[in-house]
């Protein structure tokens, strides 16, 4: 049997799956605490060693993704807030980044100070359609160069001045990578080149720069940021399933929502988005999570009128405890019920925002009525008992009070074996194995 190891080094746990490369079946899996306090290789090797134990496999390839150390923090600098800056934000999210700052227009002293304060790992510099405005892009490149900015910059703006912008930054010692324009013309969003450039910068600069491991081995093993791998897996799942789908991943610090929608007449006409639409999209809700961000879930649920004062007063102390003790695991049914309720609220609020376009800036939001598959992910769902996981997803599918149209006929499933990230890592080199894993998710 030919096998490969697919591993995700998360902020808390490292998960390892052993996959049959010929049939795509899951052979074994294991997890270990992510050893961010020492060297992340320790936790990774422990998880992989446990997964491979007793298999007798040799020369097994490792395919690794990582969100340890905060993952990929991206800042976007664009020309106009509702067009190129928004297009850059959408592309950054599709590349698996946590977009921590968006600036629009000409950078001044105050804007540069705010940009530095965001502590981004990468800056995506965009602006102007091809043949359109070039002055703002050149101005911003000049300001970054004069400020001796040392954060890697991906340039994906007006193609007419691409080489000039690269020259300005490179001459000042700024690490610079050039990609195709994310918005070559109004209403056309072209994310592929910039997404690949961000991925390569993440691998070259960010992984090693976070000092997660003492040597170079870990940086050589990592192939993608975890959200990037998951979105790639979600895209492959849509092809296998043959229809629109939504994935909601409830994590300890954030809740991510991914959707794949079939392009149709919504992509054109007078209501067309001038910043372009991504029919394969991701939003990140940094205030919604099971542990670090649990108090944010309670606050958001109150604002959305999902809970009243009595339930708020009951949930708030439990959420605070989870935020101060991220390793907390409930030991009884009552504790698990609180976890399930927080997860249901996080998932419901996150999908509401995604559907409304809150995280994408889309004026008309995202039409999820034709979604046929709702996939739940995250440790709280994978480790749920009885009907706890089903209850979390049912809360999303029966949410008729959020101002968005719920899916009309969606089937809920839970990514119990954590195959989406693994499939995303496999699909380029081992597509048969990736599709086999995804078919197992669909049952």
């Amino acid at each position: 049997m030919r096998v490969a190891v697919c591993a995700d080094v998360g902020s808390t746990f490292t998960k390892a799956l052993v996959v049959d490369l010929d049939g795509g079946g899951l052979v074994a899996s294991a997890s270990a605490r992510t050893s961010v306090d020492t060297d992340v290789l320790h936790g990774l090797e422990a998880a992989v060693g446990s997964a491979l134990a007793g298999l007798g496999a040799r020369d097994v390839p490792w395919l690794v993704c990582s969100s340890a150390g905060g993952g990929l923090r991206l800042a976007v600098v664009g020309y106009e807030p509702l067009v190129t800056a928004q297009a850059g934000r959408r592309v950054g999210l599709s590349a698996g980044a946590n977009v921590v700052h968006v600036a629009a227009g000409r950078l001044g002293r105050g804007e540069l100070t705010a940009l530095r304060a965001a502590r981004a790992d990468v800056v995506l510099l965009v602006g102007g359609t091809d043949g359109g405005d070039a002055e703002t892009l050149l101005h911003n490149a000049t300001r970054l160069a004069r400020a001796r900015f040392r954060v890697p910059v991906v340039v994906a703006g007006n193609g007419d001045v691409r080489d000039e912008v690269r020259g300005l930054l490179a001459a000042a010692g700024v690490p610079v990578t050039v990609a195709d324009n994310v918005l070559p013309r109004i209403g056309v969003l072209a994310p592929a080149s910039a997404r690949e450039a961000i991925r390569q910068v993440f691998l070259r600069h960010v992984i090693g720069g976070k000092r997660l491991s003492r040597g170079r081995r870990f940086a050589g093993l990592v192939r993608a940021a975890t959200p990037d791998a998951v979105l790639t897996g979600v895209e492959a799942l849509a092809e296998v399933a043959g229809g629109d789908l939504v994935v909601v991943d409830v994590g300890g610090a954030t809740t991510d929502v991914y959707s794949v929608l079939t392009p149709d007449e919504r992509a054109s006409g007078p209501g067309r988005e001038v910043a372009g639409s991504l029919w394969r999209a991701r939003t990140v809700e940094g205030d919604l999570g099971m542990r670090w961000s649990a108090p944010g879930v309670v606050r958001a649920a109150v604002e959305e009128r999902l809970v009243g004062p009595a339930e708020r007063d009951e949930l708030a102390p439990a959420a605070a405890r989870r935020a101060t003790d991220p390793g907390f695991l409930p030991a009884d049914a009552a504790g698990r019920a609180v976890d399930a309720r927080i997860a249901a609220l996080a998932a419901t609020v996150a999908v509401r925002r995604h559907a409304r376009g809150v995280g994408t800036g889309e004026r008309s939001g995202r039409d999820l009525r034709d979604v046929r598959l709702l996939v739940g992910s995250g440790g709280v769902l994978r480790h749920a008992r009885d009907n706890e996981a089903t209850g979390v997803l049912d809360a999303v599918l029966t949410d008729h009070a959020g101002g968005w149209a719920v899916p009309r006929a969606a089937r809920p499933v839970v990514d119990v074996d954590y195959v989406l990230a693994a499939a995303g890592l496999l699909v380029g080199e081992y597509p048969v194995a990736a599709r086999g894993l995804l078919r197992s998710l669909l049952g």
Side-chain angles (χ1 to χ4, degrees), residues 57-94:
R58 297 181 179 180
D59 300 323
V60 177
W62 291 23
L63 292 78
V64 181
C65 58
S66 174
S67 58
L72 170 57
R73 295 172 59 86
L74 182 80
V76 178
V77 177
Y79 165 52
E80 202 276 336
L82 295 179
V83 186
T84 52
Q86 195 55 253
R89 175 187 176 86
R90 295 176 193 174
V91 170
L93 288 168
S94 78

Side-chain angles (χ1 to χ4, degrees), residues 84-439:
T84 52
Q86 195 55 253
R89 175 187 176 86
R90 295 176 193 174
V91 170
L93 288 168
S94 78
N98 178 15
V99 180
V100 296
H101 183 73
V102 178
R106 295 185 170 221
L107 292 175
R109 181 177 298 177
E111 289 79 13
L112 283 170
T113 299
L115 181 59
R116 290 187 187 278
R119 296 181 296 106
D121 300 312
V122 181
V123 173
L124 178 61
L125 183 60
V126 297
T129 56
D130 288 341
D133 175 83
E135 292 182 4
T136 302
L137 183 61
L138 288 168
H139 170 87
N140 289 340
T142 301
R143 290 306 302 261
L144 291 175
R146 289 177 178 173
R148 299 186 181 278
F149 213 70
R150 291 297 177 262
V151 174
V153 174
V154 172
V155 179
N158 189 334
D160 290 2
V161 293
R162 181 183 305 146
D163 292 339
E164 187 175 353
V165 169
R166 173 168 47 190
L168 284 168
L169 294 169
V174 179
V176 57
T177 302
V178 171
D180 295 340
N181 195 348
V182 298
L183 196 74
R185 52 187 193 276
I186 293 296
V188 176
L189 190 57
S193 178
R195 179 177 170 182
E196 178 59 27
I198 293 169
R199 178 185 297 124
Q200 293 305 316
V201 171
F202 174 75
L203 298 179
R204 287 199 309 269
H205 297 283
V206 179
I207 286 293
K210 287 184 178 292
R211 299 181 181 178
L212 299 170
S213 182
R214 292 189 179 89
R216 297 182 178 180
R217 184 173 172 233
F218 179 69
L221 289 171
V222 174
R223 308 240 179 148
T226 298
D228 186 19
V230 173
L231 182 57
T232 303
V234 171
E235 293 169 348
L237 177 62
E239 295 178 2
V240 172
D244 293 2
L245 60 85
V246 169
V247 175
V248 56
D249 185 357
V250 185
T254 69
T255 296
D256 296 0
V257 181
Y258 306 78
S259 63
V260 177
L261 306 178
T262 305
D264 57 18
E265 69 277 0
R266 293 170 294 189
S268 60
R272 181 182 63 174
E273 288 282 336
V274 293
S277 296
L278 278 180
W279 295 105
R280 302 180 177 195
R282 166 178 170 255
T283 50
V284 180
E285 305 304 336
D287 62 330
L288 307 177
M290 292 302 302
R291 295 296 179 258
W292 294 273
S293 305
V297 175
V298 178
R299 288 192 295 270
V302 171
E303 292 173 358
E304 293 280 347
R305 300 183 180 180
L306 288 166
V307 302
E311 187 177 10
R312 176 200 60 199
D313 294 343
E314 180 182 347
L315 286 176
R321 177 182 179 183
R322 285 155 174 77
T324 56
D325 182 12
F328 171 76
L329 293 174
D332 55 22
R336 291 195 304 274
V338 171
D339 261 13
R341 180 57 175 160
I342 293 174
L345 293 172
T348 301
V349 173
V351 175
R352 278 187 180 187
R353 293 175 179 175
H354 185 88
R356 294 171 183 160
V358 172
T360 64
E362 295 176 12
R363 292 173 299 171
S364 56
R366 298 183 66 76
D367 189 344
L368 306 183
R369 286 176 295 178
D370 294 334
V371 164
R372 304 302 299 273
L373 187 68
L374 174 65
V375 181
S377 184
V380 66
L381 296 179
R382 290 195 298 276
H383 303 303
R385 301 184 186 181
D386 303 323
N387 297 319
E388 292 168 349
T390 303
V392 170
L393 298 182
D394 284 347
V396 174
L397 294 176
T398 57
D399 176 32
H400 294 280
W404 64 286
V406 299
R408 292 175 288 203
R411 178 167 69 99
V413 298
V414 176
D415 185 10
V416 176
D417 294 322
Y418 201 68
V419 303
L420 283 172
L425 289 168
L426 289 165
V427 71
E429 194 172 351
Y430 306 103
V432 172
R435 288 193 291 269
L437 272 182
L438 295 172
R439 281 193 289 269

